[in-house]
Amino acid sequence: MSLEQHARENIDRLLTAAGWLVCDAEKVNIHAVRGLAIREFPLKTGYGFADYLLYIDGKAVGVIEAKKAGVTLTCVETQSDKYTQGLPDGLPRWSNPLPFSYQSTGNENRFTNGLDPAPRSRSVFAFHTPGLLAEWLNNPPNPPAHTVQQSLPQYYQTGSTFLARLQQMPLLREEGLWPAQIKAIQNLEQSLKENRPRVLIQMATGSGKTFTAISFIYRLIKFAGARRVLFLVDRGNLGDQTLKEFQQYASPYNNFKFTEEYIVQRLQSNVIDTTARVCICTIQRMYAMLKGKELAEDLEEESVDKLGGLFKRPEPIEYNPTIPIETFDIIVTDECHRSIYNLWAQVLEYFDAYLIGLTATPSKQTFGFFHQNLVMEYNHEMAVADGVNVNYDVYRIRTQITEKGSKVESGYAVQIMERDTRKKRWEQLDDNFSYDPNQLDRNVVAPDQIRTIIQIYRDKLFTEIFPGRSWVPKTLIFAKDDAHAENIVEIVREEFGKGNDFAQKITYRSYGAGGTKPKDLINEFRTSPMPRIAVTVDMIATGTDIKAVEVVMFMRAVKSRAFFEQMKGRGVRVIKPDDLQSITPDAKAKDHFVIVDAVGVCEQDKTDSRPMEQKPTVSFEKLMQAVAFGNTEDEVLTSLAGRLARMEHRLKPEDDQKIRQLSGGYSLKDLAHNIIQSLNPDIALPLFTAEDKGEASRHSGESRNPEAQINEARMRIIQNAIKPLHDPELRALLTEIKKKNEVVIDIISADEVIDVGFSPEALDRAKGVVQSFEEFIQAHKDEITALQVLYSKPYKQRLTFDAVKELAHAIEKPPYLWNESQLWNAYAVLEKSKVKGASGRRILTDLVSLVRFAMHQDNELIPFPERVNANFNAWVATQGRHSGEGRNPEPFTREQFHWLEMIRDHIAANLSIESDDFELPPFTQQGGLGKVHQLFGEQLNAIIEELNKILAA
């Protein structure tokens, strides 16, 4: 068969699959079917023959120019354009010239839609269905406003396209959007108007990417007529979270909720709702759907970057007639830095749709995939400056075992634990047992290493990390694996002296009380006061929105820069003070979060490359998942067979029986042998038998490639060998059995703290805050009333509470975003010996102490209430000495002194007191203005004046 004939055979196959009837010109009945593709159609004199002429509903609509494989198709666009103008006179047509033209080799296809403004060819996976072309042709016209209807080509008067409607989008309503979101939407729409097929939006974690996406999706459906949008996520729990955000979105144009106006489908089966305008789906499920396979539930929660990395040469996706290429007009892929690699890129490139990528951490490959079309760049630093994110400090914990491992000498007994059952036994060591840090929580568990880190966190939490708090901030701890997470949870509960609800493990295998699912545990952690601490591996590492998190603790290393940034991003989200206090009652506001680094993750070099490049590092479970997804690469199957063979040596009889029941009678040894045997290239030769030769002889005039036939036979053998592993129950059983290895529990080694405290970067950040604050008060000393008063010595006027509030408002605005707590903590980090009350809660009048210390008027930074109290005690001492009888301060009675203390406390919080203030709590609860007059009589005004002057000095 010639290359040209092979190309036309493939084209015929693709047309048929897309719903076209392909026939020769002499056998035509243009009314027999809706979509007809006529081979070798003769055109007008001088125009030659159209390789395929397309008819829709009895009228000519377009052409296909066929070329052999390897021909570059852009160079034949002029030829097919000529054919659209060469239809013989008198034949029925939708317009002249014909609006649609394809160029195809059967492997590569390009398409030009003449209904578009400035028509431009684009690559398409296959041919569109006749129904879509008919829909385009029958759409009502929507010409650009500046054109005259009569001057348009004829087809503009009978149809329009998504691109045409994009040109007429109304102005964006900006209410409720942050400036970065406004810019992202406007730039995106401009890019789409310019017909750029791929768009990348980089926005920092927590800066509202999903809300931005829903906003532009709504506009593209409502005003540009997008038929259906695919919103791709890479984990099931992120799909659930995205659906909630669609349900909460209220239109700025009519106040309807998105889901009240349009149907949004959370795709959890292999059936797309044709009435849905938005489909939310994991990329794993869409891949399985295109392959015509069901997806095991556990694979929908599996990390796509790890799973995709298992395929060196992924099995190609073929055209699936049940899911045409035009199913979606727009594809939005969230966390796109993880979903563009070989396996998943096929999903994105299957559909004839604009691709919009969302990410906080793009890599070089991300930029390349999206054609360097970055329409929005909004990093964490910009988001912090705009008050959209909060910044962070790093609190480093270094311990001896974490840094260097340990050694248990012979003669000691250690515990040995089976991974799967967690059953333990004691065993005396005959030899010294040494382990390095890399073995921790993998092959060896050192409980005191975990305990030491948690103890340090507990002891430093309310004195250094979040001084003055009594509620443990919402804390997210990243563990190495599920077993490590289990150990951390147990020790956290014990060291904090709390119950089960205080700390929870949230991994793919965790279930709470009453069978609570992991996604429900996430929701509890997000919205409820309990649990205070969540321990995870990677389920909450990316995308999951938990705004109240104020501490992110790393007890595992991370090599990927993008993954590390995503994990850090769990703490950056802003939250309203009232919402935070409903979860953490003693939190005033979230102005920063703290990374507690227990393994040096912030100091380690990281890479932009994808993980899981080398198969030796791939887990047994991931290898089986790769096979379940259709991977038949020699490297993957060899690795899997080798691990199955190793398992066979320590297999228990009862486990062997279970395997045979699920595998159709095969043992582990049989499974491994069959896989290795199937990879032998010579094994396929005997299968090239008379049956295959007979098949070849039936193709008269054709010479089928023997090598291709041998490869087909070999693939049949491989598929038979791995067929048992397609059963998810067998895979689950093998995973469970594989984990029946043993872990050494070292209860002998006691860990020691090497160093603890804020990182040098945190010190530099604190230094920058202090320097900027001191520059601010110097620069504004003549503009802000409070600074004018504090800079004048002696004070020309009394400092008022309103003046301090004015100062507070000034420093809370961008780009400063300071408050009294943040400034106090910065000074405490730099000059700990001079800063008092670091563990106390800050109040607004502490700003007075901060300004005085920054101006170097005071040698110590003392909370304003403490200074007021010291001044009060000194004043009382001048009023008389304590009498020996009753210990009443002369000349005041005990009741008078109690009222003086209330006056002192009011001044500490408000800088001064006036007569009207006695009509406020707590004075009104004890008699108010009348009572204070009764107690002090004519001395009251003099005492108030004196205390206002002395206490706030």
Side-chain angles (χ1 to χ4, degrees), residues 859-925:
N859 293 324
E860 290 185 316
L861 180 55
I862 300 172
F864 190 74
E866 290 187 23
R867 181 176 294 278
V868 168
N869 189 52
N871 291 342
F872 175 76
N873 291 337
W875 175 79
V876 168
T878 65
Q879 304 303 305
R881 60 184 181 80
H882 290 290
S883 64
E885 186 176 335
R887 300 198 59 78
N888 287 327
E890 297 176 353
F892 302 118
T893 66
R894 185 178 297 277
E895 188 175 16
Q896 285 176 322
F897 192 72
H898 172 64
W899 274 80
L900 289 172
E901 287 178 324
M902 288 196 296
I903 292 172
R904 172 202 66 193
D905 294 343
H906 186 88
I907 293 175
N910 299 277
L911 288 171
S912 64
I913 191 167
E914 306 296 337
S915 295
D916 292 345
D917 295 331
F918 291 108
E919 298 297 339
L920 301 172
F923 303 109
T924 54
Q925 297 163 352

Side-chain angles (χ1 to χ4, degrees), residues 30 41 53-63 87 91-100 137:
I30 62 173
F41 191 90
L53 180 66
L54 302 179
Y55 266 72
I56 295 285
D57 295 336
K59 293 190 284 186
V61 74
V63 299
L87 190 68
L91 294 184
R93 69 200 74 198
W94 282 91
S95 62
N96 194 30
L98 302 179
F100 305 125
L137 292 164

Side-chain angles (χ1 to χ4, degrees), residues 474-479 482 484-493 498-507 509-518 520-526 528-537 540:
K474 284 281 186 175
T475 301
L476 182 61
I477 301 177
F478 286 111
D482 193 77
H484 187 212
E486 189 83 12
N487 295 331
I488 292 171
V489 167
E490 182 179 347
I491 290 173
V492 165
R493 291 170 178 170
K498 301 293 184 180
N500 294 345
D501 62 342
F502 177 79
Q504 289 281 332
K505 180 183 73 171
I506 304 179
T507 67
R509 296 183 187 152
S510 59
Y511 282 83
T516 307
K517 294 182 178 180
D520 297 322
L521 293 174
I522 292 174
N523 192 53
E524 287 180 6
F525 185 55
R526 178 189 292 122
S528 303
M530 292 295 174
R532 301 309 303 167
I533 296 176
V535 185
T536 189
V537 179
I540 316 179

